[in-house]
Amino acid sequence: MPASDPALAGAAAVALTGLAEAYRPRPVTPLMPWRYPHRLVKPYVITARGRQWDDHMVEVARATATRQLEFDDAMGALGLAVVVLHLGDDAIYLVVQSWSKDFQSRLSIFSGMEADDLRPAPIGAGPCIWEQEVLSHERASYVTHILGAGVDIDAWLDDALDTRPQPKLDGIPSGT
């Protein structure tokens, strides 16, 4: 174990080391934007190893997100939002973030064992490390294309995070 600050010795150091050894990036798949009257949404799907998504899961997530976004609209949302459907190891999560007035955002999280079971997450729940990757990208995209570029909606929509493995185009095809 590498040397660390004494404040993080013992159990904390062991826990951090275990997390570091267990962490693996997860593919982020951007979906086609969802267009509503007065609202644009950039949806994503994150999948843990061995998990697969289908159109039904996305439609259920969209319906849940739509209800939340309608509430956000009533609370001052500005019409741009990001939705992350995360098929994790232990459950399914849905993160809904809408940009609102005064440089704020509204963040709602839902969870369930299946897409059909999505319910509001317990108070205090926050996005996990993989969901934060998408939200971090989307914060930068919002600042670059909306706040810093005179509201370039097309550039914002085109700026989607995609971390899916890319096929290697050189050498002998391996089938993976």
Side-chain angles (χ1 to χ4, degrees):
M1 181 180 315
S4 63
D5 189 297
L8 293 177
V14 170
L16 289 172
T17 301
L19 285 172
E21 290 172 354
Y23 172 78
R24 300 291 179 272
R26 292 184 177 174
V28 175
T29 303
L31 304 179
M32 294 300 295
W34 298 341
R35 297 174 185 273
Y36 301 85
H38 312 291
R39 184 184 319 123
L40 294 170
V41 179
K42 289 170 66 174
Y44 291 91
V45 178
I46 302 172
T47 50
R49 183 174 299 211
R51 298 295 304 258
Q52 294 183 356
W53 56 275
D54 59 33
D55 290 342
H56 172 73
M57 291 175 175
V58 172
E59 284 306 313
V60 170
R62 183 175 182 162
T64 301
T66 298
R67 286 190 299 276
Q68 180 61 47
L69 291 167
E70 288 169 352
F71 178 79
D72 292 354
D73 288 348
M75 299 300 292
L78 299 174
L80 301 179
V82 176
V83 171
V84 180
L85 174 62
H86 182 184
L87 283 61
D89 287 326
D90 60 342
I92 294 179
Y93 302 91
L94 180 67
V95 178
V96 180
Q97 180 183 33
S98 57
W99 296 105
S100 60
K101 58 187 175 184
D102 299 329
F103 306 104
Q104 300 293 315
S105 67
R106 294 187 51 80
L107 184 71
S108 302
I109 301 175
F110 301 83
S111 62
M113 296 310 295
E114 301 294 333
D116 293 317
D117 299 332
L118 290 171
R119 301 285 184 265
I123 292 175
C128 74
I129 195 74
W130 296 282
E131 296 153 1
Q132 287 178 3
E133 178 182 21
V134 175
L135 297 178
S136 175
H137 171 86
E138 286 302 323
R139 183 242 175 233
S141 181
Y142 184 77
V143 168
T144 299
H145 303 298
I146 302 303
L147 301 179
V151 188
D152 188 341
I153 297 293
D154 291 333
W156 177 75
L157 286 171
D158 289 341
D159 185 7
L161 180 64
D162 187 344
T163 67
R164 294 174 292 178
Q166 299 299 312
K168 295 181 181 179
L169 302 176
D170 59 340
I172 300 171
S174 66
T176 59

